[in-house]
Amino acid sequence: MSASELEQSSVRYTYRERIFHLDKVSSGLWTVFDEGRADLGKLVRVAPEGEEHEPVFGIIYPGETETALEGSDWRGLVAALINTSIDPTPSWGGGQGAA
């Protein structure tokens, strides 16, 4: 999928054996939904062209107003958004070991 596919009103995105949807809200703004239509967050076009001459995108988590991650790989950004919604705690635990 290329960035031009995002110009459709809705894009079907298969990830982790599940189907997600990116619905275009306005020019440069999409809402990411799971198959149950739960709002997982937003994909936003930050700049029409970055250093690599590709559009730059960002993801915004629900309840937030600023982009959490940015880059030209919109699929990778959406995957990060989905991963966070499916498993909000890191698998490595991040806890402290016993002394």
Side-chain angles (χ1 to χ4, degrees), residues 4-80:
S4 64
E5 284 189 79
L6 289 173
E7 296 311 314
Q8 300 175 41
S9 61
S10 182
V11 175
R12 186 176 165 172
Y13 181 76
T14 304
Y15 181 69
R16 293 177 74 167
E17 300 180 12
R18 293 172 60 184
I19 297 171
F20 299 88
H21 300 273
L22 284 81
D23 288 356
K24 188 173 182 178
V25 176
S26 62
S27 180
L29 180 63
W30 300 264
T31 300
V32 180
F33 294 102
D34 68 9
E35 60 272 333
R37 300 302 287 176
D39 183 344
L40 304 180
K42 306 282 189 243
L43 176 71
V44 61
R45 184 181 311 120
V46 176
E49 186 174 313
E51 292 178 14
E52 299 170 5
H53 306 289
E54 297 286 332
V56 178
F57 298 95
I59 54 171
I60 302 172
Y61 293 108
E64 300 294 324
T65 57
E66 300 291 324
T67 56
L69 299 170
E70 294 183 0
S72 59
D73 178 13
W74 68 267
R75 289 173 294 229
L77 291 168
V78 170

